Amino acid sequence: MTENTLQEQWSAVCDRIRNESNDGVFVRWLDQITPACAETGAVALQVPTRFMQEWLKEKQYDALIADLWKNENPAVGPISLKLQPHKEAVLEKTPVAPIPPACDTAPAPAEEIDLFQNTYLDPHFTFENFVVGKPNEFAFAAAKRVAESDSVVFNPLYLHSSVGLGKTHLMHAIAWHIQKTNPARRVLYLSAEKFMYQFVRALRYDDTVSFRDLFRSVDVLMIDDVQFICGKKATQEEFFHTFNALVDQGKQIIVSSDSSPLELKGIEERLKTRMAQGLVVDIFPTTYEMRIGILQSKAALLGTSVPEDVIAFLAERITSNVRELEGALKRVVANAELLGAPINLETTRQVLRDILDVYEKEITVEDIQKAVADFYLLKLADLKSTRRDRKIARPRQMAMWLSKNMTTKSLPDIGSAFDRDHTTIIHAVRTIDELKGKDQQLAADLALLERNLKA
Ligand code: ADP
Ligand code: MG
């Protein structure tokens, strides 16, 4: 195939994709893909970043392109996606690249363009993948509102929460949504750290004009983790001006941070006030039900099925933030895949031993027996004895019930801790379940025991 026909065929394929695909990201990326010469019918496409390469493969767009290409030229075989070596290098080092020496008089490289690529957006961070519950429903609704309306509803939208509760996820979701529904809008997402880096770099190259042009030409600007610029005076100053310029032009700004605007330390008063002028929304820690939902959704994204009891166990034990919860799930899944072992409570405990220790000491049947005996002023031996008087039999059943509900021990294991068999445990659990509804004193005692054991 000559270079010319290769290019012509690629253009024809691109036209079809532009007409038929509703994946805005894919369509926009087409311009950055170049066909490289093909031998014996196999076409190589060059893409500028590894991220794009993986994303295209993941969505099986290489196969789609191959199909479309066959319409143009039946002799064309499979399509491979290759990296353009030089551009990848620039991108990979962008986030932490050292500032070039000032004597370097070359104009600033075209790094700005990279900012508008989706390289920094996680494809999984979409609205669809965001689990909503009371603690975050307001943030979710506000983010959706901003993403769905073409005009500015509140400016800025200021999201804050402690770490790992979904701020970045929501910002990426806004970006994806706008890019899909309104690709003409220029959305720029970046961390405050990167904003500062870009700014310092512009100063270094004596190119603040381009910097300002760039930031003031966007329709939607999102700055993540704005607390990063606390104490950084020049960057704040620049951010303040960018902020005002965009607000004046009616452009949307979205900011995230680890605290409310007024609580930010080391930020100029006027900038705080400005950031507090829009809608300030905080995200609260997740509930148990949300954690279950999140784990189910993440397991589905990982393409694995995780047993319900393992999901419940993780949701109960790892409550601090969603990032840790997800990290724990990933470890469990990775371990199972690596060892070809099943995912169950036992392997889960084993894999996560280190972090579970931090959360709480595991409660044992022995702890429960001791707590119950102390509570009812009984001897430990009485609980294991065969004595049937109610004064002892009832606490014994309560200890069995607690063992079933607060540990992951099996019924036979609990049975042997009480010198009984598992049917006795089943009977005890049923009895207490029933009594709990009728006997308020017993229910209160159980609740207190549970609380003491967890403390
Ligand atoms: P933050 O920016 O607030 O520190 P992130 O947005 O990075 O937190 O969230 C950390 C991880 O938790 C991400 O993988 C994100 O997808 C996940 N996550 C947080 N909240 C939710 C939620 N409500 N539904 C699904 N995933 C969530
Ligand atoms: Mg974040």
Side-chain angles (χ1 to χ4, degrees):
M1 213 181 324
T2 66
E3 196 123 311
N4 232 345
T5 53
L6 184 74
Q7 189 55 53
E8 277 164 16
Q9 290 173 10
W10 171 237
S11 300
V13 171
C14 289
D15 284 344
R16 281 215 37 202
I17 295 171
R18 283 193 192 95
N19 286 332
E20 291 167 26
S21 171
N22 46 20
D23 185 338
V25 178
F26 182 32
V27 169
R28 232 157 333 105
W29 277 357
L30 289 174
D31 291 339
Q32 298 176 48
I33 304 174
T34 47
C37 188
E39 277 168 41
T40 65
V43 173
L45 291 177
Q46 290 199 325
V47 296
T49 67
R50 189 176 302 282
F51 177 82
M52 194 190 284
Q53 183 189 31
E54 282 168 6
W55 189 87
L56 290 167
K57 275 194 194 148
E58 193 182 305
K59 299 210 151 197
Q60 300 184 344
Y61 281 139
D62 47 348
L64 174 79
I65 293 171
D67 279 350
L68 294 175
W69 209 308
K70 280 215 170 65
N71 288 335
E72 302 302 320
N73 177 0
V76 158
I79 302 283
S80 58
L81 297 167
K82 297 255 150 49
L83 270 186
Q84 287 164 11
H86 54 290
K87 284 208 180 153
E88 168 77 356
V90 170
L91 239 147
E92 299 256 283
K93 72 176 206 279
T94 303
V96 284
I99 296 157
C103 62
D104 187 347
T105 49
E111 195 180 330
E112 289 78 13
I113 298 154
D114 290 342
L115 287 175
F116 284 96
Q117 291 185 356
N118 294 323
T119 335
Y120 301 105
L121 298 180
D122 187 315
H124 295 313
F125 287 6
T126 60
F127 285 127
E128 292 74 29
N129 289 342
F130 194 77
V131 175
V132 186
K134 271 261 168 296
N136 63 12
E137 65 184 5
F138 193 43
F140 178 78
K144 266 211 120 162
R145 184 78 195 279
V146 165
E148 283 167 359
S149 67
D150 289 334
S151 58
V152 171
V153 213
F154 19 73
N155 223 355
L157 168 60
Y158 187 105
L159 298 169
H160 69 102
S161 75
S162 55
V163 66
L165 293 182
K167 300 180 296 293
T168 299
H169 187 134
L170 280 178
M171 289 175 120
H172 288 204
I174 295 172
W176 286 124
H177 186 92
I178 295 177
Q179 291 186 349
K180 203 163 86 189
T181 53
N182 198 346
R185 287 185 94 189
R186 276 161 68 85
V187 179
L188 182 51
Y189 162 89
L190 75 174
S191 63
E193 182 180 6
K194 192 147 174 65
F195 178 86
M196 185 181 91
Y197 168 70
Q198 291 289 330
F199 175 57
V200 171
R201 195 168 154 280
L203 289 177
R204 201 64 187 243
Y205 281 116
D206 200 11
D207 193 17
T208 46
V209 177
S210 313
F211 176 87
R212 287 188 183 132
D213 281 353
L214 170 79
F215 278 93
R216 287 164 205 196
S217 70
V218 304
D219 297 306
V220 181
L221 176 65
M222 297 195 230
I223 303 283
D224 205 352
D225 289 322
V226 80
Q227 74 274 4
F228 183 85
I229 61 169
C230 288
K232 313 216 162 68
K233 265 196 122 180
T235 305
Q236 271 180 46
E237 173 92 18
E238 187 59 31
F239 181 54
F240 181 70
H241 292 306
T242 306
F243 197 107
N244 286 337
L246 287 174
V247 171
D248 289 347
Q249 292 176 58
K251 302 300 170 61
Q252 180 73 55
I253 297 172
I254 301 153
V255 174
S256 89
S257 164
D258 63 356
S259 61
S260 77
L262 301 178
E263 284 163 352
L264 284 171
K265 296 200 176 65
I267 293 259
E268 266 185 86
E269 243 6 90
R270 56 177 187 165
L271 182 53
K272 282 192 200 177
T273 320
R274 204 70 166 100
M275 289 198 290
Q277 267 166 6
L279 181 68
V280 176
V281 184
D282 43 0
I283 306 179
F284 298 96
T286 52
T287 60
Y288 174 75
E289 288 74 21
M290 281 169 73
R291 291 195 293 280
I292 296 271
I294 290 169
L295 287 165
Q296 284 167 341
S297 144
K298 301 286 177 188
L301 286 174
L302 291 171
T304 345
S305 88
V306 178
E308 262 174 44
D309 57 347
V310 171
I311 292 216
F313 175 76
L314 293 175
E316 176 137 336
R317 288 305 194 84
I318 301 173
T319 54
S320 58
N321 75 58
V322 183
R323 186 170 302 146
E324 291 214 5
L325 188 65
E326 196 178 347
L329 177 72
K330 281 187 177 155
R331 266 173 70 186
V332 170
V333 170
N335 177 72
E337 275 171 9
L338 223 60
L339 303 180
I343 301 178
N344 57 33
L345 275 181
E346 204 181 319
T347 52
T348 301
R349 278 169 177 286
Q350 210 139 42
V351 175
L352 301 179
R353 202 168 7 203
D354 53 339
I355 54 171
L356 292 174
D357 276 354
V358 177
Y359 281 101
E360 60 189 275
K361 199 172 113 309
E362 203 178 295
I363 297 166
T364 64
V365 176
E366 287 68 37
D367 294 335
I368 293 172
Q369 289 173 330
K370 188 162 178 332
V372 172
D374 287 350
F375 191 81
Y376 290 108
L377 305 173
L378 302 172
K379 288 200 216 81
L380 202 51
D382 289 338
L383 281 188
K384 298 193 192 184
S385 73
T386 50
R387 292 177 57 184
R388 285 162 169 264
D389 39 323
R390 163 127 352 145
K391 203 170 108 275
I392 294 172
R394 194 65 85 220
R396 182 187 297 131
Q397 288 179 320
M398 289 167 74
M400 291 172 177
W401 184 93
L402 287 165
S403 302
K404 179 71 191 85
N405 284 288
M406 296 187 77
T407 73
T408 52
K409 286 272 181 279
S410 66
L411 290 168
D413 282 348
I414 297 173
S416 72
F418 285 89
D419 295 330
R420 302 289 203 284
D421 73 6
H422 69 281
T423 54
T424 312
I425 311 298
I426 295 177
H427 176 70
V429 170
R430 283 211 192 112
T431 309
I432 298 299
D433 273 335
E434 247 170 59
L435 281 176
K436 257 180 17 148
K438 296 187 230 157
D439 183 341
Q440 282 191 1
Q441 184 59 52
L442 179 137
D445 285 0
L446 268 183
L448 190 59
L449 275 165
E450 260 186 279
R451 230 175 308 133
N452 289 346
L453 278 162
K454 275 187 186 158

